Amino acid sequence: MRKHITYGLLLIGYLVSVRGAAAQWISFGAKGGGIPFGTAQAAVNDSRWYLVGPSVEFRLPAGFAVEADALYQRVGSTASFILPGPSAGVTNIVDIRSRGNSWQFPFLGKYYFRSRKAGWQPFVGAGYAFGTTWFHQQGTTVGSTQNLVPYPSSQSNYRTGTNLGAMVAAGARYRIGRWAFSPELRYTYWGANPYPQRQNSTALLMGISF
């Protein structure tokens, strides 16, 4: 019986030590913020300005770290087009309404300038981000040159291609008890035709981790 108790205590001690060691090199949290300015590649007048999602950071020796995020943004646009009708001389006015769930997956290499034991640590980072969007699109005929009965609405679902962007970031990490708060300024260049992402995207983010 004592033998089993001893083995049990050793196992509990081992699990506690592993958990404590893991806490030294990995942290989980969430990140959110907004995109206050940038150059849009296409009309996205119905898009939300904020990003939000989970985040994980792997700490490495000598002040280095690797961060991975999954950031969500609701995007959309509404536009009107004049299209040929069912017969000669007839045109229809069609509203195209698009709504999408956009995801970005940034991978960021980071360097902290101060010790992890310090109350705050400024950092810089660079990396890449992948982005893709699932769209639902609906087209509705709202008018005709001959006041004909409008066509029924048409609907479609599709996913954009995967966009790749180059990214740089700078910020600071503040520790308060078990929690860490990381305000950050992040710039991403998405290259040519990255709809619905902004080509030159600058985001103000706040990370919370433990």
Side-chain angles (χ1 to χ4, degrees), residues 8-147:
L9 293 175
L10 289 174
L11 177 61
I12 293 173
Y14 172 75
L15 293 176
V16 170
S17 64
V18 169
R19 182 179 178 184
Q24 298 299 317
W25 65 270
I26 186 172
S27 61
F28 299 93
K31 185 155 292 192
I35 307 176
F37 36 81
T39 302
Q41 286 295 96
V44 287
N45 56 315
D46 297 324
S47 296
R48 301 293 184 263
W49 61 271
Y50 54 84
L51 299 165
V52 65
S55 177
V56 60
E57 181 175 291
F58 300 91
R59 304 186 188 107
L60 303 174
F64 291 95
V66 176
E67 178 184 322
D69 310 319
L71 302 178
Y72 170 79
Q73 182 184 18
R74 182 68 170 173
V75 298
S77 64
T78 302
S80 296
F81 300 90
I82 299 177
L83 302 176
S87 59
V90 177
T91 57
N92 292 326
I93 302 174
V94 179
D95 280 352
I96 305 295
R97 184 176 185 268
S98 298
R99 295 293 182 272
N101 298 308
S102 181
W103 284 93
Q104 298 179 23
F105 302 96
F107 295 89
L108 187 69
K110 303 169 70 174
Y111 177 75
Y112 289 96
F113 290 96
R114 302 184 69 192
S115 167
R116 295 173 186 168
K117 297 180 180 180
W120 69 284
Q121 298 174 271
F123 67 84
V124 293
Y128 291 92
F130 301 89
T132 190
T133 304
W134 285 263
F135 272 107
H136 174 75
Q137 189 175 80
Q138 179 174 335
T140 304
T141 303
V142 296
S144 171
T145 54
Q146 293 187 1
N147 295 320

Side-chain angles (χ1 to χ4, degrees), residues 6 9 63 77 90 99 154 156 162 190:
T6 302
L9 293 175
S77 64
V90 177
R99 295 293 182 272
S154 61
S156 63
T162 300
W190 288 101

Side-chain angles (χ1 to χ4, degrees), residues 141-206:
T141 303
V142 296
S144 171
T145 54
Q146 293 187 1
N147 295 320
L148 299 178
V149 177
Y151 289 144
S153 298
S154 61
Q155 301 187 39
S156 63
N157 296 286
Y158 64 95
R159 185 178 74 87
T160 65
T162 300
N163 298 318
L164 176 64
M167 179 176 56
V168 294
R173 183 173 180 267
Y174 298 87
R175 176 161 289 281
I176 303 176
R178 291 185 56 194
W179 299 92
F181 300 87
S182 302
E184 174 187 341
L185 179 64
R186 181 178 293 185
Y187 168 79
T188 307
Y189 177 73
W190 288 101
N193 303 317
Y195 180 77
Q197 284 91 1
R198 298 173 183 268
Q199 185 179 39
N200 297 290
S201 175
T202 303
L204 296 172
L205 302 174
M206 171 63 78

